[in-house]
């Protein structure tokens, strides 16, 4: 019986990243850098899953099909925004407090303690990055440039936005905001896309070397474990597609990775709930409860259409009697 089996490395690192975020927030183990790698992975997955759809929609056309692009690209963003806003409204309604910064996903520009922490800065920055990149792609000139030389385009974009983030922080100290601005993290998205386009050995070597630019953080802004994990994770993703792990771990890793959005949304509220139900639980147990709560929420969201249909049928039967 085969005990080991291969799994996509990015799935393992995605699961590890969301575990690291929850673990750090809930006081179990401090593992910095999970949010950075998830932003990196968003750029990586854009190239793998959304960019081919955009290319197919524009194949053979002398002009950029903006309508198709908006449907594909911004349709994907809306799938993230809708559950985030619904959960945000639920929390605000439950507590009887409303914060416009959280509703419009711009609280990162106000401050880390805004709304007593009842916001989701990581998702806000990610959505802002998606929107900025989408606006660039809408331009005919930039789309055709990227489609003609994708690797060179994202290599240039990574270097440009990384140097921009360095210069901006040297000119304007944004440490009060914990540097949570899209223009300071845009390079991470480009790094993910760049890695996805590194399809041959020559490109992989160049990409690995250029990713070492991130080490400038250590010199200019002191040692930063967040970007260390980003750099090592990104370089590993360049060279390793799949890794062998025990087969028994595949299902939990996959479901944690696929439920990462909802795990991120609910983990603080899950802690609050379990603290009231069973006080003084060990931190590891609290983390497990938060992961399980996020997984359940994610599975419910995926099956929402079935729940709606069932509710409609039940309602119809009730009125037909």
């Amino acid at each position: 019986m085969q005990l080991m089996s291969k799994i996509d490395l990015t799935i393992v690192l995605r699961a590890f990243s969301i575990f690291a975020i929850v673990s750090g927030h809930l006081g179990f183990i401090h593992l910095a850098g999970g949010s950075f790698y998830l932003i990196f992975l968003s750029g990586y997955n854009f190239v793998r899953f959304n960019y081919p759809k955009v290319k197919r929609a524009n194949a053979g056309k002398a002009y950029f099909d903006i309508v198709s692009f908006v449907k594909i690209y911004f349709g994907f963003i809306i799938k993230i925004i809708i559950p985030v806003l619904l959960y945000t409204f639920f929390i605000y309604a439950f507590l009887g407090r409303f914060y416009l910064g959280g509703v419009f996903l711009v609280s990162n520009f106000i401050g880390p303690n805004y709304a007593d922490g009842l916001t989701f800065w990581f998702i806000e920055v990610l959505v802002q990055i998606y929107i900025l990149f989408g606006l660039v792609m809408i331009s005919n000139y930039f789309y055709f440039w990227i489609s003609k030389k994708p690797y060179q385009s994202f290599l240039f974009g990574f270097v440009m936005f990384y140097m921009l983030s360095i210069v901006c922080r040297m000119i304007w100290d944004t440490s009060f905001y914990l540097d949570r601005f899209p223009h300071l993290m845009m390079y991470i998205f480009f790094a993910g896309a760049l890695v996805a386009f590194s399809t041959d050995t020559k490109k992989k070597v160049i990409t690995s070397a250029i990713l070492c630019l991130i080490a400038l953080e250590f010199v200019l802004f002191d040692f930063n474990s967040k970007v260390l994990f980003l750099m090592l994770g990104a370089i590993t993703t360049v060279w390793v597609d799949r890794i062998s792990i025990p087969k028994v771990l595949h299902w939990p890793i996959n479901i944690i990775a696929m439920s990462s959005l909802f795990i991120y949304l609910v983990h603080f509220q899950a802690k609050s709930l379990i603290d009231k139900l069973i006080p003084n639980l060990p931190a590891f147990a609290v983390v497990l409860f938060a992961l399980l709560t996020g997984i359940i929420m994610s599975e419910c969201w995926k099956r929402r259409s079935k729940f709606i249909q069932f509710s409609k049928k039940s309602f119809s039967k009730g009125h037909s009697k």
Side-chain angles (χ1 to χ4, degrees):
M1 182 179 177
Q2 188 179 7
L3 298 177
M4 304 291 286
S5 181
K6 289 190 174 183
I7 186 173
D8 191 318
L9 175 67
T10 61
I11 292 176
V12 176
L13 290 180
R14 180 175 175 179
F16 176 80
S17 294
I18 192 63
F19 171 79
I21 292 171
V22 173
S23 175
H25 286 172
L26 303 190
F28 177 52
I29 301 175
H30 184 66
L31 302 166
S35 57
F36 279 22
Y37 186 81
L38 290 178
I39 293 175
F40 165 88
L41 197 58
S42 67
Y44 182 84
N45 285 335
F46 163 74
V47 170
R48 290 180 65 188
F49 302 113
N50 290 301
Y51 184 71
K53 295 178 183 178
V54 175
K55 283 198 72 175
R56 285 195 295 270
N58 287 275
K61 295 180 180 178
Y63 62 93
F64 182 52
D65 190 343
I66 294 178
V67 174
S68 295
F69 175 76
V70 168
K71 287 181 180 179
I72 295 168
Y73 187 77
F74 287 94
F76 163 72
I77 298 174
I78 289 172
K79 289 180 182 178
I80 298 174
I81 291 176
I82 289 176
V84 171
L85 288 183
L86 288 175
Y87 187 72
T88 300
F89 280 123
F90 168 76
I91 293 296
Y92 288 176
F94 180 79
L95 297 175
R97 294 183 282 167
F98 288 87
Y99 303 95
L100 290 178
V103 171
F104 289 103
L105 303 180
V106 293
S107 72
N108 57 308
F109 289 96
I110 302 172
N113 297 318
Y114 174 76
D116 297 325
L118 293 172
T119 57
F120 308 101
W121 77 263
F122 163 70
I123 296 173
E124 292 176 344
V125 172
L126 183 59
V127 168
Q128 291 159 16
I129 288 172
Y130 276 136
I131 292 173
L132 284 174
F133 182 74
L135 294 176
V136 170
M137 286 286 285
I138 283 176
S139 165
N140 287 9
Y141 176 80
F142 283 109
Y143 168 74
F144 286 114
W145 181 39
I146 289 171
S147 63
K148 187 177 181 180
K149 295 185 176 182
Y151 179 79
Q152 292 86 340
S153 299
F154 283 101
L155 177 60
F156 175 77
F158 167 71
V159 173
M160 182 184 73
F161 277 104
Y162 184 66
M163 299 313 295
L164 177 66
S165 73
I166 295 291
V167 171
C168 286
R169 279 179 289 169
M170 292 180 73
I171 294 174
W172 176 31
D173 181 9
T174 54
S175 56
F176 170 78
Y177 302 94
L178 303 181
D179 302 321
R180 294 171 176 174
F181 294 129
H183 64 286
L184 301 182
M185 299 185 187
M186 191 79 173
Y187 76 91
I188 304 176
F189 180 88
F190 272 85
L194 177 65
V195 169
F197 279 119
S198 301
T199 52
D200 57 57
T201 303
K202 180 181 177 181
K203 289 177 180 176
K204 289 180 178 181
V205 171
I206 294 172
T207 300
S208 299
I210 207 72
L211 285 171
C212 291
L213 268 178
I214 298 175
L216 280 174
E217 291 271 355
F218 307 149
V219 178
L220 298 175
F221 302 104
D222 298 323
F223 181 80
N224 190 325
S225 55
K226 291 182 179 180
V227 297
L228 177 62
F229 178 73
L230 167 65
M231 186 173 73
L232 295 178
I235 293 174
T236 304
T237 306
V238 173
W239 294 98
V240 181
D241 293 325
R242 301 170 69 81
I243 59 171
S244 292
I245 63 171
K247 292 180 72 174
V248 69
L249 296 178
H250 280 224
W251 182 80
I253 287 174
N254 270 291
I255 198 165
I256 289 172
M258 296 304 107
S259 305
S260 57
L261 173 62
F262 283 88
I263 291 172
Y264 180 81
L265 287 176
V266 308
H267 67 281
F268 276 122
Q269 285 72 45
K271 180 186 184 322
S272 177
L273 175 62
I274 197 66
D275 283 348
K276 291 177 181 177
L277 295 175
I278 313 176
N280 303 317
L281 267 181
F284 180 66
V286 176
V287 170
L288 286 181
F289 180 76
L291 294 175
L292 180 61
T293 304
I295 290 169
I296 293 171
M297 291 282 288
S298 179
E299 292 302 309
C300 289
W301 178 255
K302 292 173 186 175
R303 291 165 173 76
R304 63 190 182 280
S305 59
K306 293 181 180 179
F307 292 144
I308 293 171
Q309 290 175 2
F310 177 78
S311 299
K312 286 182 178 178
K313 288 180 181 179
S314 300
F315 181 78
S316 299
K317 287 180 181 179
H319 276 263
S320 62
K321 290 180 180 181

